[in-house]
Amino acid sequence: MKRFSRQISKLAFRAALMWFAEWPGAAQAAGIALYETGAPDLGTASAGRAAMAADASTAAANPAGMTLLDRSQLLGAAGAFLPSTNFDVAPQTTTSGGGGGNAGVFIPIGGFFYVYKLSERMRLGVATDSDFGLAIDYGKKWVGRYYATQESLITGKVNPSIAYEVNYWLSVGAGFSFSVARLKFQSKINNALPRTPDGGLALESWDEAFGGNVGILLRPIAKLRIGLTYQSPVDYEFGFRPHLTGLGPLLSRLRARIGGAKVDIPMEVPQQVMLSGLYDVTPNWSLLGNVGWQNWSAFGEFPIGISSVKQRTVEANLHFSDTCQIAIGQQLQIGEKRLWSAGFAYDSAPVSKANRVPTLPLDRQPRYGTGIQYQINRDVTAGVAWEFMDAGPGPYSATRGPLAGTVRGHYSTNYLNFVALNVI
């Protein structure tokens, strides 16, 4: 019996290491990079984001665009992220339980953006928002509860910036950011005994990080604007002491081996590049577009440090791939006071079926957006925007030893809705 207990404990210890190895990638479900800050470009599905320079939100999108604002300006935005994420269990799944219902979690979105006109050629700006985060909750009866039950990443960022108009056709801008993030993860542990309730594993950590962004804005002709931006990687270093609960007698050794350990997991928000264009077809109608790149392959490779009696490092590779984005949109001036926006964007999948984790159920991602701005008076404009993102069927298949079992399935619904109000 003791020998069997030791074997079960070893299996659980290995499973715990795999949890630690896969969990940061799962955090990207909470860590998906979002274009949706609640700013008016939500209505174009981000098309033309780095070239619009139409309001103070350009302080975050492309700081060089601040030079196009003819006066100081403040923009406030508030809204909600409303997901619908339902997992359909395939017959090959070996654990008991259900699909977890709607695992999506409501998250507020929004931010404040301010641009100050320092001189005719120079602008100062600051953006306070969150462009990285998500949350998911499958519940305690989900078939994949030994992989994950809950996870969330909450982030906030302050991004001061400066811009300078070199001449009538070229502006440049740069900024730096200070970010704060909280990561939280929970899963169940199989106690490997009939009629014995599951145990639990919980991790939680806060960290701060710095980053930077630069941008240029070109106006080769009066009707055309081209914006190019680069956002640096942001490196978090999360540290935990795992919290274990409800362990049965066969896993009593696990508490001593894992419960007292310190786990350090780095997470890199990927660097990204965006090239945008805006062309005024007529005085009242403009076309917009984007191409973009995000360095998700770097996000998927990281060392995990585990400190207990013996110091050890586990090299993890989630096999993520770099992603590309394309977007197209339009803006139509309706009368003197209304501006209607619409757009479509497509992002490639950051991870394949073989490497997908349940807290990152992302596949390819088409986005559809629309919105309208209404000029109340010369000083105040209000707007509303909506965007729908289809995160794809996200087929999932994983096996993690006898305790966690095999989980297979896909997502019958995997939709994200963003709605926001903004006032300039």
Side-chain angles (χ1 to χ4, degrees):
M1 184 66 177
K2 290 183 178 180
R3 181 179 179 184
F4 177 69
S5 177
R6 286 195 298 268
Q7 290 174 340
I8 292 294
S9 180
K10 289 179 180 178
L11 288 173
F13 180 68
R14 291 169 185 165
L17 293 182
M18 294 181 73
W19 276 317
F20 299 147
E22 292 191 8
W23 170 74
Q28 205 54 11
I32 177 179
L34 299 173
Y35 310 108
E36 296 81 6
T37 62
D41 62 14
L42 183 69
T44 66
S46 80
R49 189 176 197 217
M52 278 187 196
D55 53 62
S57 66
T58 191
N62 181 357
M66 295 190 294
T67 61
L68 267 65
L69 303 184
D70 61 358
R71 54 181 170 163
S72 299
Q73 187 180 101
L74 173 67
L75 185 153
F81 161 73
L82 305 168
S84 177
T85 305
N86 291 273
F87 184 75
D88 279 6
V89 184
Q92 298 87 347
T93 299
T94 60
T95 54
S96 61
N102 181 12
V105 177
F106 162 86
I107 293 180
I109 61 173
F112 289 94
F113 311 88
Y114 179 67
V115 173
Y116 176 69
K117 184 178 179 180
L118 186 64
S119 69
E120 287 301 316
R121 293 195 172 207
M122 187 171 289
R123 305 289 189 274
L124 301 177
V126 63
T128 303
D129 65 335
S130 175
D131 57 3
F132 194 80
L134 208 62
I136 204 158
D137 184 355
Y138 287 100
K140 300 177 181 179
K141 301 298 182 180
W142 182 50
V143 293
R145 61 191 175 276
Y146 304 129
Y147 292 71
T149 56
Q150 296 181 39
E151 203 214 347
S152 65
L153 173 63
I154 306 299
T155 67
K157 180 174 71 174
V158 178
N159 187 184
S161 56
I162 186 170
Y164 181 74
E165 184 182 51
V166 179
N167 52 46
Y168 72 94
W169 60 269
L170 172 64
S171 295
V172 296
F176 72 92
S177 63
F178 172 72
S179 304
V180 177
R182 189 203 72 169
L183 275 166
K184 185 177 181 180
F185 173 81
Q186 294 181 12
S187 70
K188 290 297 181 180
I189 298 176
N190 189 346
N191 272 313
L193 286 175
R195 296 183 296 278
T196 301
D198 292 331
L201 168 68
L203 307 170
E204 184 173 359
S205 180
W206 289 79
D207 196 30
E208 305 85 32
F210 292 91
N213 62 320
V214 295
I216 62 173
L217 187 69
L218 301 172
R219 288 159 287 171
I221 57 175
K223 294 183 177 182
L224 176 64
R225 293 201 294 271
I226 300 171
L228 177 64
T229 62
Y230 168 78
Q231 185 169 304
S232 74
V234 177
D235 296 312
Y236 293 103
E237 187 74 32
F238 295 104
F240 322 85
R241 291 199 180 275
H243 180 61
L244 299 169
T245 58
L247 297 185
L250 294 181
L251 300 183
S252 58
R253 295 174 179 267
L254 184 61
R255 187 183 302 277
R257 299 190 69 181
I258 292 295
K262 176 69 163 42
V263 182
D264 296 310
I265 303 177
M267 188 185 76
E268 179 181 294
V269 178
Q271 61 183 330
Q272 53 184 300
V273 177
M274 178 179 286
L275 175 66
S276 300
L278 182 151
Y279 183 74
D280 295 323
V281 181
T282 71
N284 295 323
W285 183 46
S286 301
L287 292 178
L288 310 97
N290 285 349
V291 292
W293 168 84
Q294 294 182 345
N295 186 206
W296 286 106
S297 59
F299 167 87
E301 298 181 17
F302 50 91
I304 303 172
I306 303 173
S307 305
S308 54
V309 179
K310 296 181 179 180
Q311 181 80 26
R312 64 183 300 177
T313 299
V314 179
E315 293 293 333
N317 190 336
L318 301 177
H319 302 287
F320 276 63
S321 300
D322 292 349
T323 62
C324 296
Q325 188 223 36
I326 57 170
I328 187 169
Q330 66 88 45
Q331 290 188 315
L332 177 65
Q333 187 73 40
I334 303 173
E336 295 182 357
K337 295 187 175 183
R338 295 174 180 84
L339 178 67
W340 171 54
S341 300
F344 167 79
Y346 181 92
D347 288 71
S348 59
V351 64
S352 66
K353 173 183 176 181
N355 299 302
R356 189 170 286 118
V357 289
T359 43
L360 180 57
L362 290 180
D363 207 333
R364 80 297 178 275
Q365 304 146 53
R367 289 169 159 92
Y368 310 85
T370 189
I372 192 161
Q373 299 287 113
Y374 180 78
Q375 185 177 10
I376 299 173
N377 55 48
R378 181 180 180 275
D379 297 318
V380 180
T381 298
V384 60
W386 166 78
E387 185 189 275
F388 172 80
M389 185 176 97
D390 179 359
Y396 178 68
S397 177
T399 300
R400 192 191 294 165
L403 292 180
T406 296
V407 177
R408 292 186 183 177
H410 73 283
Y411 291 85
S412 56
T413 61
N414 199 10
Y415 308 137
L416 314 179
N417 284 278
F418 303 86
V419 293
L421 301 173
N422 54 77
V423 178
I424 305 170

